Amino acid sequence: MTEMVIALLMIINGEIKEARIQPSMSNCLKGARIAKRDAKSHVKYQCLKSMAELESNIDGSKSIKKLILK
C-alpha cells in the first residue's frame, strides 16, 4: 500500500540507511534533534514528508518498505 508519511531518515555517507514513520513533523524534528546530540560526525538525520510504500508488521504496525522520492 502507498501512503503519504512523515519519515525520520538516518543518512550515512549520503545513503539512506533507515527510515522510520513519525506521527507528526514536530515529533520528527524533535527526534532528529535528540539523535543529532549522540550522533557521530558522518551520520545525518533528516525529516521528510513523502509518499512511501508501506508494509504491515506482525503486530499490526506499519513500516516503510520503500520511499517514493520525486
Side-chain angles (χ1 to χ4, degrees):
M1 80 186 92
T2 304
E3 287 185 28
M4 179 67 72
V5 297
I6 297 170
L8 175 57
L9 307 178
M10 179 173 69
I11 303 168
I12 299 176
N13 296 328
E15 185 178 335
I16 298 171
K17 293 292 185 179
E18 188 173 341
R20 298 280 181 143
I21 297 173
Q22 300 296 307
S24 68
M25 186 59 80
S26 63
N27 282 358
C28 186
L29 293 170
K30 181 180 176 183
R33 278 194 307 274
I34 293 169
K36 284 177 189 176
R37 291 180 196 155
D38 300 327
K40 296 184 171 92
S41 61
H42 63 279
V43 179
K44 180 180 174 186
Y45 292 92
Q46 181 178 341
C47 293
L48 174 74
K49 185 174 181 180
S50 176
M51 293 298 289
E53 192 174 310
L54 304 177
E55 60 186 359
S56 296
N57 298 324
I58 292 173
D59 64 356
S61 64
K62 295 178 184 176
S63 61
I64 297 173
K65 184 175 181 180
K66 181 173 84 173
L67 287 171
I68 302 169
L69 304 172
K70 291 186 178 181

